[in-house]
PDB file of all heavy atoms in Angstrom:
ATOM      1  N   GLY A 164      -6.818   1.401   6.600  1.00 69.00           N
ATOM      2  CA  GLY A 164      -5.521   2.008   6.289  1.00 69.00           C
ATOM      3  C   GLY A 164      -5.255   1.731   4.821  1.00 69.00           C
ATOM      4  O   GLY A 164      -5.788   0.823   4.217  1.00 69.00           O
ATOM      5  N   ASP A 165      -4.319   2.528   4.281  1.00 79.00           N
ATOM      6  CA  ASP A 165      -4.052   2.411   2.869  1.00 79.00           C
ATOM      7  C   ASP A 165      -2.846   3.203   2.510  1.00 79.00           C
ATOM      8  O   ASP A 165      -2.327   3.948   3.302  1.00 79.00           O
ATOM      9  CB  ASP A 165      -5.233   2.782   2.009  1.00 79.00           C
ATOM     10  CG  ASP A 165      -5.403   1.919   0.778  1.00 79.00           C
ATOM     11  OD1 ASP A 165      -4.472   1.259   0.354  1.00 79.00           O
ATOM     12  OD2 ASP A 165      -6.539   1.928   0.228  1.00 79.00           O
ATOM     13  N   ASN A 166      -2.438   3.098   1.245  1.00 89.00           N
ATOM     14  CA  ASN A 166      -1.365   3.918   0.642  1.00 89.00           C
ATOM     15  C   ASN A 166      -1.883   4.429  -0.674  1.00 89.00           C
ATOM     16  O   ASN A 166      -2.676   3.756  -1.380  1.00 89.00           O
ATOM     17  CB  ASN A 166      -0.109   3.059   0.435  1.00 89.00           C
ATOM     18  CG  ASN A 166       0.478   2.556   1.709  1.00 89.00           C
ATOM     19  OD1 ASN A 166       0.853   3.363   2.561  1.00 89.00           O
ATOM     20  ND2 ASN A 166       0.470   1.240   1.870  1.00 89.00           N
ATOM     21  N   GLY A 167      -1.417   5.598  -1.045  1.00 94.00           N
ATOM     22  CA  GLY A 167      -1.790   6.220  -2.290  1.00 94.00           C
ATOM     23  C   GLY A 167      -0.902   7.372  -2.642  1.00 94.00           C
ATOM     24  O   GLY A 167       0.212   7.438  -2.187  1.00 94.00           O
ATOM     25  N   VAL A 168      -1.405   8.242  -3.497  1.00 97.00           N
ATOM     26  CA  VAL A 168      -0.636   9.450  -3.888  1.00 97.00           C
ATOM     27  C   VAL A 168      -1.574  10.652  -3.790  1.00 97.00           C
ATOM     28  O   VAL A 168      -2.756  10.519  -3.879  1.00 97.00           O
ATOM     29  CB  VAL A 168      -0.076   9.352  -5.320  1.00 97.00           C
ATOM     30  CG1 VAL A 168       1.029   8.273  -5.413  1.00 97.00           C
ATOM     31  CG2 VAL A 168      -1.120   9.123  -6.356  1.00 97.00           C
ATOM     32  N   VAL A 169      -0.957  11.798  -3.592  1.00 97.00           N
ATOM     33  CA  VAL A 169      -1.706  13.057  -3.493  1.00 97.00           C
ATOM     34  C   VAL A 169      -0.869  14.142  -4.125  1.00 97.00           C
ATOM     35  O   VAL A 169       0.309  14.188  -4.047  1.00 97.00           O
ATOM     36  CB  VAL A 169      -2.060  13.348  -1.993  1.00 97.00           C
ATOM     37  CG1 VAL A 169      -0.823  13.531  -1.187  1.00 97.00           C
ATOM     38  CG2 VAL A 169      -2.937  14.588  -1.874  1.00 97.00           C
ATOM     39  N   VAL A 170      -1.557  15.099  -4.825  1.00 98.00           N
ATOM     40  CA  VAL A 170      -0.950  16.300  -5.369  1.00 98.00           C
ATOM     41  C   VAL A 170      -1.421  17.462  -4.563  1.00 98.00           C
ATOM     42  O   VAL A 170      -2.630  17.685  -4.395  1.00 98.00           O
ATOM     43  CB  VAL A 170      -1.301  16.474  -6.856  1.00 98.00           C
ATOM     44  CG1 VAL A 170      -0.759  17.835  -7.380  1.00 98.00           C
ATOM     45  CG2 VAL A 170      -0.771  15.329  -7.699  1.00 98.00           C
ATOM     46  N   LEU A 171      -0.499  18.227  -3.984  1.00 97.00           N
ATOM     47  CA  LEU A 171      -0.762  19.472  -3.317  1.00 97.00           C
ATOM     48  C   LEU A 171      -0.340  20.622  -4.231  1.00 97.00           C
ATOM     49  O   LEU A 171       0.801  20.614  -4.694  1.00 97.00           O
ATOM     50  CB  LEU A 171      -0.017  19.592  -1.948  1.00 97.00           C
ATOM     51  CG  LEU A 171      -0.321  18.443  -0.961  1.00 97.00           C
ATOM     52  CD1 LEU A 171       0.546  18.705   0.293  1.00 97.00           C
ATOM     53  CD2 LEU A 171      -1.755  18.374  -0.650  1.00 97.00           C
ATOM     54  N   ARG A 172      -1.209  21.562  -4.468  1.00 98.00           N
ATOM     55  CA  ARG A 172      -0.846  22.686  -5.340  1.00 98.00           C
ATOM     56  C   ARG A 172      -1.680  23.892  -4.935  1.00 98.00           C
ATOM     57  O   ARG A 172      -2.908  23.942  -5.102  1.00 98.00           O
ATOM     58  CB  ARG A 172      -1.110  22.353  -6.797  1.00 98.00           C
ATOM     59  CG  ARG A 172      -0.690  23.524  -7.721  1.00 98.00           C
ATOM     60  CD  ARG A 172      -0.622  23.139  -9.166  1.00 98.00           C
ATOM     61  NE  ARG A 172       0.559  22.235  -9.401  1.00 98.00           N
ATOM     62  CZ  ARG A 172       0.463  20.992  -9.828  1.00 98.00           C
ATOM     63  NH1 ARG A 172      -0.734  20.470 -10.113  1.00 98.00           N
ATOM     64  NH2 ARG A 172       1.520  20.264 -10.017  1.00 98.00           N
ATOM     65  N   ASP A 173      -0.960  24.930  -4.420  1.00 97.00           N
ATOM     66  CA  ASP A 173      -1.551  26.214  -4.145  1.00 97.00           C
ATOM     67  C   ASP A 173      -2.892  26.144  -3.389  1.00 97.00           C
ATOM     68  O   ASP A 173      -3.862  26.803  -3.775  1.00 97.00           O
ATOM     69  CB  ASP A 173      -1.716  27.030  -5.429  1.00 97.00           C
ATOM     70  CG  ASP A 173      -0.414  27.248  -6.171  1.00 97.00           C
ATOM     71  OD1 ASP A 173       0.627  27.341  -5.507  1.00 97.00           O
ATOM     72  OD2 ASP A 173      -0.422  27.283  -7.368  1.00 97.00           O
ATOM     73  N   GLY A 174      -2.950  25.320  -2.344  1.00 97.00           N
ATOM     74  CA  GLY A 174      -4.145  25.257  -1.537  1.00 97.00           C
ATOM     75  C   GLY A 174      -5.160  24.202  -1.962  1.00 97.00           C
ATOM     76  O   GLY A 174      -6.227  24.087  -1.362  1.00 97.00           O
ATOM     77  N   THR A 175      -4.882  23.440  -3.000  1.00 98.00           N
ATOM     78  CA  THR A 175      -5.794  22.377  -3.431  1.00 98.00           C
ATOM     79  C   THR A 175      -5.138  20.987  -3.267  1.00 98.00           C
ATOM     80  O   THR A 175      -3.930  20.847  -3.326  1.00 98.00           O
ATOM     81  CB  THR A 175      -6.221  22.496  -4.918  1.00 98.00           C
ATOM     82  OG1 THR A 175      -5.036  22.386  -5.741  1.00 98.00           O
ATOM     83  CG2 THR A 175      -6.915  23.849  -5.194  1.00 98.00           C
ATOM     84  N   ILE A 176      -5.991  20.010  -2.989  1.00 98.00           N
ATOM     85  CA  ILE A 176      -5.602  18.629  -2.802  1.00 98.00           C
ATOM     86  C   ILE A 176      -6.350  17.756  -3.782  1.00 98.00           C
ATOM     87  O   ILE A 176      -7.572  17.866  -3.950  1.00 98.00           O
ATOM     88  CB  ILE A 176      -5.956  18.153  -1.355  1.00 98.00           C
ATOM     89  CG1 ILE A 176      -5.310  19.003  -0.297  1.00 98.00           C
ATOM     90  CG2 ILE A 176      -5.600  16.674  -1.183  1.00 98.00           C
ATOM     91  CD1 ILE A 176      -5.783  18.717   1.091  1.00 98.00           C
ATOM     92  N   ARG A 177      -5.594  16.881  -4.462  1.00 98.00           N
ATOM     93  CA  ARG A 177      -6.209  15.908  -5.352  1.00 98.00           C
ATOM     94  C   ARG A 177      -5.418  14.617  -5.178  1.00 98.00           C
ATOM     95  O   ARG A 177      -4.191  14.631  -5.168  1.00 98.00           O
ATOM     96  CB  ARG A 177      -6.106  16.302  -6.856  1.00 98.00           C
ATOM     97  CG  ARG A 177      -6.687  17.654  -7.168  1.00 98.00           C
ATOM     98  CD  ARG A 177      -8.195  17.613  -7.204  1.00 98.00           C
ATOM     99  NE  ARG A 177      -8.773  18.865  -7.645  1.00 98.00           N
ATOM    100  CZ  ARG A 177      -9.217  19.778  -6.843  1.00 98.00           C
ATOM    101  NH1 ARG A 177      -9.095  19.667  -5.519  1.00 98.00           N
ATOM    102  NH2 ARG A 177      -9.777  20.883  -7.312  1.00 98.00           N
ATOM    103  N   GLY A 178      -6.112  13.488  -5.057  1.00 96.00           N
ATOM    104  CA  GLY A 178      -5.369  12.243  -4.858  1.00 96.00           C
ATOM    105  C   GLY A 178      -6.283  11.046  -4.819  1.00 96.00           C
ATOM    106  O   GLY A 178      -7.497  11.154  -5.062  1.00 96.00           O
ATOM    107  N   GLY A 179      -5.669   9.916  -4.479  1.00 93.00           N
ATOM    108  CA  GLY A 179      -6.414   8.655  -4.300  1.00 93.00           C
ATOM    109  C   GLY A 179      -5.574   7.449  -4.128  1.00 93.00           C
ATOM    110  O   GLY A 179      -4.334   7.533  -3.963  1.00 93.00           O
ATOM    111  N   ASP A 180      -6.254   6.331  -4.110  1.00 90.00           N
ATOM    112  CA  ASP A 180      -5.612   5.017  -3.946  1.00 90.00           C
ATOM    113  C   ASP A 180      -6.342   4.027  -4.834  1.00 90.00           C
ATOM    114  O   ASP A 180      -7.008   4.425  -5.777  1.00 90.00           O
ATOM    115  CB  ASP A 180      -5.560   4.610  -2.459  1.00 90.00           C
ATOM    116  CG  ASP A 180      -6.981   4.477  -1.817  1.00 90.00           C
ATOM    117  OD1 ASP A 180      -7.933   4.215  -2.582  1.00 90.00           O
ATOM    118  OD2 ASP A 180      -7.042   4.571  -0.578  1.00 90.00           O
ATOM    119  N   SER A 181      -6.234   2.733  -4.530  1.00 87.00           N
ATOM    120  CA  SER A 181      -6.811   1.722  -5.350  1.00 87.00           C
ATOM    121  C   SER A 181      -8.333   1.759  -5.434  1.00 87.00           C
ATOM    122  O   SER A 181      -8.944   1.256  -6.387  1.00 87.00           O
ATOM    123  CB  SER A 181      -6.416   0.300  -4.820  1.00 87.00           C
ATOM    124  OG  SER A 181      -5.031   0.181  -4.855  1.00 87.00           O
ATOM    125  N   PHE A 182      -8.975   2.320  -4.380  1.00 88.00           N
ATOM    126  CA  PHE A 182     -10.459   2.298  -4.310  1.00 88.00           C
ATOM    127  C   PHE A 182     -11.133   3.649  -4.205  1.00 88.00           C
ATOM    128  O   PHE A 182     -12.281   3.833  -4.586  1.00 88.00           O
ATOM    129  CB  PHE A 182     -10.924   1.439  -3.118  1.00 88.00           C
ATOM    130  CG  PHE A 182     -10.439   0.019  -3.166  1.00 88.00           C
ATOM    131  CD1 PHE A 182      -9.338  -0.343  -2.436  1.00 88.00           C
ATOM    132  CD2 PHE A 182     -11.108  -0.884  -4.008  1.00 88.00           C
ATOM    133  CE1 PHE A 182      -8.917  -1.709  -2.527  1.00 88.00           C
ATOM    134  CE2 PHE A 182     -10.689  -2.185  -4.056  1.00 88.00           C
ATOM    135  CZ  PHE A 182      -9.594  -2.598  -3.310  1.00 88.00           C
ATOM    136  N   PHE A 183     -10.391   4.658  -3.683  1.00 89.00           N
ATOM    137  CA  PHE A 183     -11.009   5.943  -3.374  1.00 89.00           C
ATOM    138  C   PHE A 183     -10.223   7.091  -4.005  1.00 89.00           C
ATOM    139  O   PHE A 183      -9.040   7.006  -4.229  1.00 89.00           O
ATOM    140  CB  PHE A 183     -11.033   6.175  -1.856  1.00 89.00           C
ATOM    141  CG  PHE A 183     -11.752   5.123  -1.099  1.00 89.00           C
ATOM    142  CD1 PHE A 183     -11.074   3.993  -0.612  1.00 89.00           C
ATOM    143  CD2 PHE A 183     -13.130   5.203  -0.937  1.00 89.00           C
ATOM    144  CE1 PHE A 183     -11.764   3.021   0.063  1.00 89.00           C
ATOM    145  CE2 PHE A 183     -13.829   4.182  -0.283  1.00 89.00           C
ATOM    146  CZ  PHE A 183     -13.119   3.106   0.257  1.00 89.00           C
ATOM    147  N   TYR A 184     -10.956   8.167  -4.342  1.00 94.00           N
ATOM    148  CA  TYR A 184     -10.314   9.426  -4.724  1.00 94.00           C
ATOM    149  C   TYR A 184     -10.776  10.479  -3.800  1.00 94.00           C
ATOM    150  O   TYR A 184     -11.777  10.369  -3.101  1.00 94.00           O
ATOM    151  CB  TYR A 184     -10.694   9.764  -6.177  1.00 94.00           C
ATOM    152  CG  TYR A 184     -12.055  10.224  -6.417  1.00 94.00           C
ATOM    153  CD1 TYR A 184     -12.462  11.556  -6.311  1.00 94.00           C
ATOM    154  CD2 TYR A 184     -13.060   9.284  -6.680  1.00 94.00           C
ATOM    155  CE1 TYR A 184     -13.770  11.943  -6.501  1.00 94.00           C
ATOM    156  CE2 TYR A 184     -14.374   9.701  -6.904  1.00 94.00           C
ATOM    157  CZ  TYR A 184     -14.728  11.001  -6.808  1.00 94.00           C
ATOM    158  OH  TYR A 184     -16.032  11.394  -7.014  1.00 94.00           O
ATOM    159  N   PHE A 185     -10.067  11.551  -3.696  1.00 94.00           N
ATOM    160  CA  PHE A 185     -10.448  12.677  -2.812  1.00 94.00           C
ATOM    161  C   PHE A 185      -9.969  13.996  -3.371  1.00 94.00           C
ATOM    162  O   PHE A 185      -9.008  14.078  -4.165  1.00 94.00           O
ATOM    163  CB  PHE A 185      -9.901  12.485  -1.391  1.00 94.00           C
ATOM    164  CG  PHE A 185      -8.446  12.161  -1.321  1.00 94.00           C
ATOM    165  CD1 PHE A 185      -7.501  13.188  -1.215  1.00 94.00           C
ATOM    166  CD2 PHE A 185      -7.995  10.851  -1.296  1.00 94.00           C
ATOM    167  CE1 PHE A 185      -6.175  12.908  -1.149  1.00 94.00           C
ATOM    168  CE2 PHE A 185      -6.637  10.555  -1.197  1.00 94.00           C
ATOM    169  CZ  PHE A 185      -5.738  11.622  -1.110  1.00 94.00           C
ATOM    170  N   VAL A 186     -10.735  15.005  -3.078  1.00 98.00           N
ATOM    171  CA  VAL A 186     -10.473  16.385  -3.520  1.00 98.00           C
ATOM    172  C   VAL A 186     -10.762  17.303  -2.301  1.00 98.00           C
ATOM    173  O   VAL A 186     -11.578  17.025  -1.478  1.00 98.00           O
ATOM    174  CB  VAL A 186     -11.351  16.780  -4.689  1.00 98.00           C
ATOM    175  CG1 VAL A 186     -11.077  15.956  -5.922  1.00 98.00           C
ATOM    176  CG2 VAL A 186     -12.804  16.712  -4.381  1.00 98.00           C
ATOM    177  N   GLY A 187      -9.992  18.406  -2.239  1.00 98.00           N
ATOM    178  CA  GLY A 187     -10.205  19.338  -1.138  1.00 98.00           C
ATOM    179  C   GLY A 187      -9.285  20.497  -1.183  1.00 98.00           C
ATOM    180  O   GLY A 187      -8.728  20.834  -2.230  1.00 98.00           O
ATOM    181  N   SER A 188      -9.168  21.143  -0.040  1.00 98.00           N
ATOM    182  CA  SER A 188      -8.360  22.358   0.053  1.00 98.00           C
ATOM    183  C   SER A 188      -7.670  22.402   1.412  1.00 98.00           C
ATOM    184  O   SER A 188      -8.078  21.703   2.351  1.00 98.00           O
ATOM    185  CB  SER A 188      -9.256  23.622  -0.101  1.00 98.00           C
ATOM    186  OG  SER A 188     -10.203  23.672   0.921  1.00 98.00           O
ATOM    187  N   TYR A 189      -6.635  23.247   1.480  1.00 98.00           N
ATOM    188  CA  TYR A 189      -5.859  23.388   2.725  1.00 98.00           C
ATOM    189  C   TYR A 189      -5.306  24.807   2.828  1.00 98.00           C
ATOM    190  O   TYR A 189      -5.261  25.550   1.839  1.00 98.00           O
ATOM    191  CB  TYR A 189      -4.713  22.376   2.780  1.00 98.00           C
ATOM    192  CG  TYR A 189      -3.696  22.570   1.710  1.00 98.00           C
ATOM    193  CD1 TYR A 189      -2.592  23.419   1.906  1.00 98.00           C
ATOM    194  CD2 TYR A 189      -3.794  21.945   0.474  1.00 98.00           C
ATOM    195  CE1 TYR A 189      -1.656  23.610   0.910  1.00 98.00           C
ATOM    196  CE2 TYR A 189      -2.863  22.117  -0.499  1.00 98.00           C
ATOM    197  CZ  TYR A 189      -1.801  22.952  -0.285  1.00 98.00           C
ATOM    198  OH  TYR A 189      -0.868  23.125  -1.272  1.00 98.00           O
TER     199      TYR A 189
END
């Protein structure tokens, strides 16, 4: 489990926390 931040913009996802980053789409 963890906490972090994420940016949602026009179908794209970008975010992360202290150890991991992630990218994707929705």
Side-chain angles (χ1 to χ4, degrees):
D165 217 340
N166 297 299
V168 293
V169 60
V170 173
L171 301 180
R172 181 166 292 117
D173 300 328
T175 63
I176 301 172
R177 304 285 186 264
D180 61 25
S181 299
F182 299 100
F183 303 92
Y184 70 91
F185 50 88
V186 296
S188 62
Y189 63 90

